[in-house]
């Protein structure tokens, strides 16, 4: 008897017991689809994180003082350090800016709007993903002449003026005790906030002013805590940062004191990715347990089926069915039930995960490999859990089997 | 055709040994029509199972068609059953989900016959038992007599050496029973070796040779007075 005949006989048996076959498949369907849904959910969230990082800048890094090592003022990064670094690493660095930030308030009649006032240089828009809606970003000349100019985002413009074409308008910011007035030279498009509006928290609106201006306001002179850096594509951030640190250490005679620390978006991303992968794996493994339960369901039903069809097995054996023939018949039946369950599970899983992907704004990716793997996997579940019942059937003694009523 | 020497079968039920067959010697020639009779527990069913290669003897020799089968087991016995033996059972033993024709095809399926030839030979066998118009009916759509005729067609289809019938008329009314016996007689006249197990003397009497069993031994083995009937 060949495989085709076994498949025919198995299909007859499956269709003879439609309801039972369907319920048996249900275990496999739930198992396979939950594995697929969990895995693609993990992929979607990883894509989401990557997207957030991309909007923030994947090649971004920070080099700054380590407060744990109690740096003295002479260890601070100086204007000259920055000049040397940007000359030495012009091939690697796309943009580099010190920043001095303080929080302030803009008073509009009786309403107070809290803002984050950041002094940055003209390269800052090459670091942060800033795109202008109106006007321009800060220029080198703004730094040199300490012009009282500011770049704000459109949301803030709408809040203060009720419109976005606010170039050359004035804003005055309360900063601790002092009060400063700036002329708006640029309006930025609203920036995506990393990880969305989580928990309803809205970060204060950003106001960028020339760093020279900010230094004067807070009373610091060419001494900075740290640098925001954006590397060019293909640059190894960690290796470049180490070289930058060694230059700074040499200039400050502070080799081996670990006074400077770095953060890179890349290492943060890979860490988040690692956590996500582990999470997906763990949840996926839990989902796989349901597949195991489904497989046990297949075994259970096959055992019932073998007992129920004892007489049939006896007849077949009396007529000349060999060990292998009976084995094949029941094994193929278990495999077909599992494989059909697997295929339905794959379709269901793809449907659900596509809906999830679309809901989160990603194009649903149907991987052929996952279909193949899931189907083969469910078929092997059939082999694994169908083997014992099939063996039981094939080992039956024909005389006893024929007597069974 | 069938040569049995010193054949014994001992069942162990717990500590007790039951001697179902005690050194039975039996020869059956090609083309014979033999009935085996005896009360229950006489060993006739055990003999039937051994003759049909469903069971193995504890001791002794069994040659079927000059092949020694008493030592065979598993798949080898399955092949002998498939090629040399046609079974007809009291309770028909048809596969209820399959049509009459598919039931008849079954032995050829296990013999590895190609689908086309299988179908042709099954149709031919159905014709032989006079059921050409019932080929696509399921067993539950057939009468008892018709079911038994399907079973006979199935038993014949691989051209077996012997046709073994175990109480073939036991579940049938008299008229159907007579029809079935007529078929057996016709097949025997055409050359098929038939062995019939029954407890009804009238049925047994149709055979030319009647063997009586008692307590695992042959009590009586004689040609019937109606020997001419078959001829």
């Amino acid at each position: 008897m060949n495989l085709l005949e076994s498949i025919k006989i198995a299909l007859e048996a499956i269709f003879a017991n439609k309801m039972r076959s369907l319920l048996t498949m249900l275990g496999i369907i739930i198992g396979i689809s939950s594995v697929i849904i969990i895995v693609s959910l993990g992929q979607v969230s990883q894509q989401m994180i990557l997207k957030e990082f991309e909007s923030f800048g994947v090649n971004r890094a920070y080099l700054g003082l380590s407060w744990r090592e109690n740096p003295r003022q002479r260890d601070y990064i100086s204007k000259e350090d920055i000049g040397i670094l940007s000359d030495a690493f012009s091939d690697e660095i796309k943009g580099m800016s010190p920043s001095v930030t303080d929080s302030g308030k803009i008073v509009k009649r009786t309403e107070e709007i809290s803002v984050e006032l950041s002094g940055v240089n003209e390269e800052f828009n090459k670091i942060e993903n800033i795109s202008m809606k109106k006007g321009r970003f800060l220029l080198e000349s703004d730094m040199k002449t300490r012009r009282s100019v500011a770049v704000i985002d459109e949301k803030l413009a709408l809040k203060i003026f009720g419109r976005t074409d606010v170039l050359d308008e004035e804003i005055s910011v309360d900063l601790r005790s002092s009060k400063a007035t700036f002329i708006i030279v640029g309006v930025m498009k609203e920036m995506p906030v990393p990880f969305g509006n989580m928990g309803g928290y809205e970060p204060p609106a950003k106001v960028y002013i020339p760093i020279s201006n900010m230094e004067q306001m807070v009373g610091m002179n060419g001494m900075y805590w740290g640098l925001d850096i954006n590397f060019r594509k293909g640059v190894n951030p960690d290796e470049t940062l180490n070289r930058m640190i060694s230059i700074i250490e040499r200039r400050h005679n502070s080799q081996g004191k670990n006074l400077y620390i770095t953060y890179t978006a890349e290492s943060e991303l890979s860490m988040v990715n690692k956590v996500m992968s582990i999470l997906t794996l763990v949840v996926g493994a839990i989902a796989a347990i349901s597949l195991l339960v489904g497989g046990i369901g297949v075994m259970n039903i096959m055992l019932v089926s073998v007992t129920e069809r004892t007489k049939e097995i006896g007849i077949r054996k009396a007529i000349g069915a060999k060990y292998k023939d009976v084995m094949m018949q029941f094994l193929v039946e278990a495999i077909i039930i599992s494989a059909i369950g697997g295929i339905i599970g794959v379709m269901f899983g793809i449907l659900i995960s596509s809906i999830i992907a679309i809901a989160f704004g990603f194009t649903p990716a149907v991987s052929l490999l996952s279909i193949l793997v899931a189907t083969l996997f469910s078929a092997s579940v059939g082999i694994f859990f169908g083997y014992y019942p099939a063996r039981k059937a094939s080992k039956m003694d024909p005389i006893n089997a024929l007597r069974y009523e | 055709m069938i040569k049995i020497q010193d054949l014994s079968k001992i069942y162990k039920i717990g500590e007790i040994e039951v001697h179902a067959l005690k050194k039975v010697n039996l020869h059956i020639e090609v083309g014979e029509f033999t009935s085996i009779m005896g009360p229950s527990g006489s060993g006739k069913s055990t003999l039937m199972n051994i003759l049909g290669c469903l069971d193995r003897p504890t001791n002794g020799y069994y040659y079927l068609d000059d092949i020694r089968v008493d030592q065979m087991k598993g798949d080898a016995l399955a092949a002998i059953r498939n090629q040399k033996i046609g079974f007809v059972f009291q309770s028909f033993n048809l596969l209820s989900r399959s049509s009459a024709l598919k039931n008849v095809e079954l032995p050829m399926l296990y013999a590895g016959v190609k689908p086309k030839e299988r179908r042709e030979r099954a149709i031919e066998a159905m014709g032989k038992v006079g059921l050409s118009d019932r080929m696509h009916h399921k067993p539950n759509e057939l009468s008892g007599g018709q079911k038994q005729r399907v079973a006979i067609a199935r038993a014949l289809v691989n051209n077996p050496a012997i046709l073994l019938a175990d109480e073939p008329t036991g579940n049938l009314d008299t008229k159907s029973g007579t029809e079935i016996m007529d078929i057996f007689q016709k097949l025997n006249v055409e050359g098929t070796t038939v062995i019939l197990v029954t407890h009804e003397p009238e049925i047994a009497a149709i055979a030319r040779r009647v063997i009586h069993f008692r307590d695992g031994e042959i009590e009586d083995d004689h040609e019937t007075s109606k020997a001419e009937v078959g001829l």
Side-chain angles (χ1 to χ4, degrees):
Chain A
M1 194 169 64
N2 61 29
L3 189 65
L4 200 72
E5 304 284 358
S6 307
I7 292 172
K8 242 193 232 167
I9 293 171
L11 284 175
E12 265 171 33
I14 289 166
F15 278 104
N17 259 318
K18 285 187 202 74
M19 192 62 189
R20 181 200 284 183
S21 305
L22 197 74
L23 286 174
T24 311
M25 282 172 199
L26 201 60
I28 301 286
I29 293 170
I30 291 169
I32 289 280
S33 55
S34 53
V35 169
I36 289 181
I37 291 167
I38 296 293
V39 168
S40 49
L41 213 65
Q43 279 170 348
V44 164
S45 46
Q46 263 175 358
Q47 278 183 57
M48 269 172 76
I49 291 163
L50 188 70
K51 206 173 119 186
E52 296 295 353
F53 265 95
E54 269 166 0
S55 72
F56 171 73
V58 197
N59 297 314
R60 277 188 67 167
Y62 175 81
L63 192 164
L65 287 163
S66 165
W67 298 107
R68 192 188 292 180
E69 303 298 330
N70 295 319
R72 293 152 300 174
Q73 263 210 333
R74 49 172 282 236
D75 298 322
Y76 284 28
I77 296 164
S78 68
K79 238 177 201 153
E80 292 72 38
D81 292 338
I82 296 171
I84 283 163
L85 287 176
S86 56
D87 285 346
F89 293 93
S90 59
D91 286 345
E92 286 91 346
I93 292 172
K94 195 171 159 191
M96 178 163 68
S97 170
S99 66
V100 178
T101 300
D102 208 340
S103 51
K105 284 188 293 252
I106 292 174
V107 181
K108 182 197 165 193
R109 281 178 224 128
T110 55
E111 199 185 346
E112 281 184 358
I113 303 163
S114 41
V115 294
E116 199 176 83
L117 199 63
S118 281
V120 295
N121 74 12
E122 72 281 1
E123 282 183 22
F124 194 77
N125 63 344
K126 292 177 199 152
I127 302 169
E128 193 95 54
N129 247 337
I130 291 171
S131 54
M132 304 303 298
K133 194 178 170 77
K134 295 255 155 59
R136 59 169 176 84
F137 194 71
L138 305 172
L139 300 175
E140 200 180 347
S141 57
D142 297 332
M143 310 293 148
K144 285 193 173 137
T145 55
R146 283 190 189 155
R147 276 161 71 184
S148 296
V149 291
V151 175
I152 64 171
D153 75 7
E154 55 179 322
K155 211 169 170 186
L156 185 62
L158 281 171
K159 241 183 194 167
I160 302 169
F161 300 100
R163 57 196 162 87
T164 55
D165 52 338
V166 292
L167 297 185
D168 298 326
E169 296 280 354
E170 277 188 2
I171 51 168
S172 59
V173 182
D174 291 337
L175 198 65
R176 291 183 197 169
S177 52
S178 58
K179 193 180 182 91
T181 305
F182 303 96
I183 296 166
I184 298 167
V185 292
V187 179
M188 303 175 287
K189 279 186 186 152
E190 204 192 329
M191 277 192 286
V193 184
F195 303 109
N197 257 339
M198 278 186 182
Y201 166 75
E202 206 181 332
K206 289 260 188 186
V207 174
Y208 292 116
I209 60 168
I211 181 126
S212 47
N213 222 317
M214 189 71 181
E215 281 170 49
Q216 205 181 34
M217 284 166 66
V218 298
M220 286 177 61
N221 247 324
M223 307 292 278
Y224 308 114
W225 295 349
L227 300 169
D228 281 313
I229 304 163
N230 197 7
F231 290 110
R232 292 181 201 282
K233 264 199 179 124
V235 172
N236 179 344
D238 289 313
E239 184 258 346
T240 314
L241 284 168
N242 283 339
R243 274 159 53 207
M244 290 168 79
I245 286 175
S246 61
I247 289 174
I248 298 170
E249 281 179 342
R250 220 177 303 135
R251 284 178 49 78
H252 293 262
N253 266 324
S254 59
Q255 286 101 323
K257 290 186 187 162
N258 294 324
L259 284 173
Y260 305 97
I261 51 159
T262 59
Y263 295 107
T264 60
E266 201 186 63
S267 62
E268 309 262 303
L269 177 64
S270 74
M271 206 172 74
V272 172
N273 268 339
K274 208 185 266 172
V275 171
M276 281 308 299
S277 300
I278 292 168
L279 204 70
T280 304
L281 203 72
V282 168
V283 182
I286 293 167
I289 291 172
S290 68
L291 191 60
L292 187 76
V293 174
I296 292 167
V298 170
M299 176 139 94
N300 186 25
I301 286 300
M302 287 312 294
L303 280 172
V304 169
S305 174
V306 165
T307 308
E308 237 180 38
R309 281 145 72 188
T310 300
K311 183 110 182 172
E312 177 192 328
I313 295 163
I315 296 169
R316 287 179 186 277
K317 287 201 136 189
I319 274 163
K322 296 193 171 73
Y323 176 87
K324 185 195 79 185
D325 296 324
V326 179
M327 181 92 190
M328 276 289 266
Q329 182 187 334
F330 284 93
L331 202 52
V332 166
E333 198 176 313
I335 292 169
I336 289 177
I337 287 179
S338 311
I340 293 176
I343 290 166
I344 297 172
V346 166
M347 294 194 296
F348 192 66
I350 287 171
L351 183 77
I352 299 289
S353 51
S354 300
I355 290 170
I356 293 169
I358 291 166
F360 282 95
F362 293 96
T363 42
V366 178
S367 114
L368 228 85
L369 188 75
S370 79
I371 298 170
L372 201 72
V373 167
T375 312
L376 283 180
F377 185 71
S378 55
S380 36
V381 164
I383 294 174
F384 187 79
F385 290 103
Y387 178 78
Y388 174 69
R391 208 176 96 98
K392 201 180 159 202
S394 63
K395 289 249 163 153
M396 269 182 192
D397 172 43
I399 299 172
N400 290 334
L402 276 172
R403 269 196 216 124
Y404 187 89
E405 285 303 329
Chain B
M1 172 64 57
I2 288 176
K3 206 169 86 185
I4 281 173
Q5 276 179 351
D6 298 333
L7 197 81
S8 301
K9 180 72 185 181
I10 301 163
Y11 293 110
K12 275 192 180 154
I13 303 167
E15 293 293 297
I16 308 154
E17 284 192 350
V18 179
H19 293 258
L21 290 175
K22 298 169 187 164
K23 298 213 168 191
V24 173
N25 287 288
L26 181 66
H27 290 246
I28 294 173
E29 299 302 328
V30 178
E32 276 198 73
F33 195 150
T34 309
S35 284
I36 297 173
M37 294 193 71
S40 55
S42 62
K44 64 179 197 301
S45 292
T46 305
L47 182 71
M48 196 70 182
N49 286 339
I50 292 172
L51 285 178
C53 294
L54 289 167
D55 204 356
R56 299 163 67 208
T58 314
N59 281 305
Y61 302 94
Y62 171 21
Y63 293 90
L64 173 63
D65 237 6
D66 293 331
I67 304 164
R68 190 176 164 190
V69 294
D70 54 79
Q71 299 286 339
M72 287 186 176
K73 47 184 160 181
D75 282 356
L77 274 185
I80 295 285
R81 288 197 294 271
N82 186 243
Q83 297 297 316
K84 300 282 181 191
I85 295 156
F87 285 103
V88 178
F89 301 94
Q90 179 176 3
S91 54
F92 322 122
N93 283 348
L94 299 175
L95 297 185
S96 54
R97 282 200 306 270
S98 308
S99 69
L101 194 67
K102 287 280 174 201
N103 266 288
V104 177
E105 281 188 33
L106 204 59
M108 293 184 284
L109 178 72
Y110 293 121
V113 178
K114 292 257 165 358
K116 190 165 170 272
E117 191 193 335
R118 230 155 56 196
R119 201 175 169 79
E120 284 167 4
R121 273 166 60 183
I123 290 170
E124 195 194 321
M126 290 292 278
K128 258 191 203 170
V129 296
L131 275 183
S132 299
D133 55 338
R134 290 282 187 277
M135 289 195 292
H136 301 292
H137 288 64
K138 296 263 171 74
N140 61 7
E141 298 160 342
L142 299 172
S143 71
Q146 287 169 334
K147 279 186 215 173
Q148 199 58 301
R149 281 194 270 167
V150 174
I152 294 170
R154 182 180 66 185
L156 284 177
V157 80
N158 263 355
N159 297 316
I162 49 171
L163 200 58
L164 275 182
D166 190 359
E167 303 273 11
T169 58
N171 281 5
L172 300 177
D173 57 63
T174 317
K175 188 171 164 284
S176 307
T178 311
E179 280 170 15
I180 294 300
M181 289 316 295
D182 286 346
I183 293 174
F184 279 125
Q185 270 185 302
K186 196 179 114 213
L187 291 170
N188 178 245
V189 169
E190 285 165 8
T192 312
T193 310
V194 180
I195 301 172
L196 187 73
V197 171
T198 184
H199 66 273
E200 294 174 70
E202 316 88 82
I203 300 291
I206 292 168
R208 271 176 294 163
R209 181 181 175 188
V210 180
I211 300 168
H212 281 268
F213 264 80
R214 185 172 289 276
D215 298 332
E217 287 170 312
I218 293 175
E219 187 186 47
D220 182 43
D221 183 351
H222 70 276
E223 304 270 311
T224 60
S225 50
K226 284 186 193 167
E228 302 80 22
V229 174
L231 303 168

